[in-house]
Amino acid sequence: MRSLCSKFLVFILITLISCSKSDDSNPEENLAVEYDYYIVWTTNDQDYSIGIELNNQDEGYGPTMCFCRSGCSHSPGPGFIPADESMPAASVYFTNFNDGNCAGYEENVRFNDSYQTGSYKLTTNDYEKGIYINISMDFTDTSTHYTSSIGEQPASSYVRITQSQPDNKEITSGYFNFGQVVTGEFEARLFNWDDPSKFIDVKNGHFKLRVQSFQDGRLDQ
């Protein structure tokens, strides 16, 4: 009986070690290990990884934030632009996540609850809630710019927010820059801006981005 118990304990130990090794092989971690915030993907069997390290001032990439308006909503599009503009660039647009009043107190008071985990539509409509991805293979060459916001998606396409955490930064007493760190994954077909008959299929896509509100403010009118 003692021998049988020992064998069982060894089996449990081997299983736990195997699970730990399996967790360590997360493709998201492998592709994005050098960055704090990032967008990574694979296309044509080639891996791409862009992003920033928060404590590194000598960056190959800088963060960008576009606020696109649809009606009275703001659709933040955080991403990264290269110092060498012949390198790839990418951004992720969260369309109509901040509905209601355009800015100020009413946006900020619910900002952190707007980016819930779950699956979202790869949207092609500026007036519906969803997410779309832009990728430029060469930032200086518009013929290499692709987007998921046009064209039909294959059945295998998806985009998901897997983690969402508040990141509000106090500027002065009671006055904040409202932010949310959003982590997610995607697989999508991206169509060429100049010629939508051309496309690239993006797989193994992951992102970790800081989304911020349209303007700073208080939560105590």
Side-chain angles (χ1 to χ4, degrees), residues 60-76:
Y61 280 88
T64 62
M65 175 67 72
C66 172
F67 292 98
C68 302
R69 290 185 59 168
S70 303
C72 204
S73 298
H74 288 98
S75 301

Side-chain angles (χ1 to χ4, degrees), residues 89-107:
S91 53
V92 177
Y93 284 80
F94 300 87
T95 68
N96 291 284
F97 273 63
N98 306 317
D99 57 356
N101 189 31
C102 288
Y105 175 82
E106 290 188 20
E107 177 189 355

Side-chain angles (χ1 to χ4, degrees), residues 95 156 189:
T95 68
S156 60
R189 177 164 290 179

Side-chain angles (χ1 to χ4, degrees), residues 122 124 148-155 157 188-191 196 199 201:
L122 277 156
T124 58
S148 67
S149 66
I150 54 177
E152 294 186 6
Q153 292 291 330
S157 297
R189 177 164 290 179
L190 276 60
F191 296 85
F199 61 84
D201 286 323

Side-chain angles (χ1 to χ4, degrees), residues 39-53:
I39 303 173
V40 300
W41 71 93
T42 301
T43 187
N44 296 327
D45 296 322
Q46 183 173 348
D47 295 336
Y48 294 87
S49 178
I50 67 176
I52 60 169
E53 299 171 73

Side-chain angles (χ1 to χ4, degrees), residues 172-212:
T172 60
S173 180
Y175 195 80
F176 290 88
N177 170 259
F178 295 91
Q180 191 79 1
V181 176
V182 181
T183 305
E185 57 191 12
F186 62 93
E187 179 173 316
R189 177 164 290 179
L190 276 60
F191 296 85
N192 187 271
W193 275 112
D194 293 341
D195 183 358
S197 68
K198 299 178 181 179
F199 61 84
I200 57 173
D201 286 323
V202 173
K203 299 181 179 180
N204 198 30
H206 299 272
F207 59 82
K208 183 177 182 181
L209 301 162
R210 184 180 187 271
V211 185
Q212 67 183 47

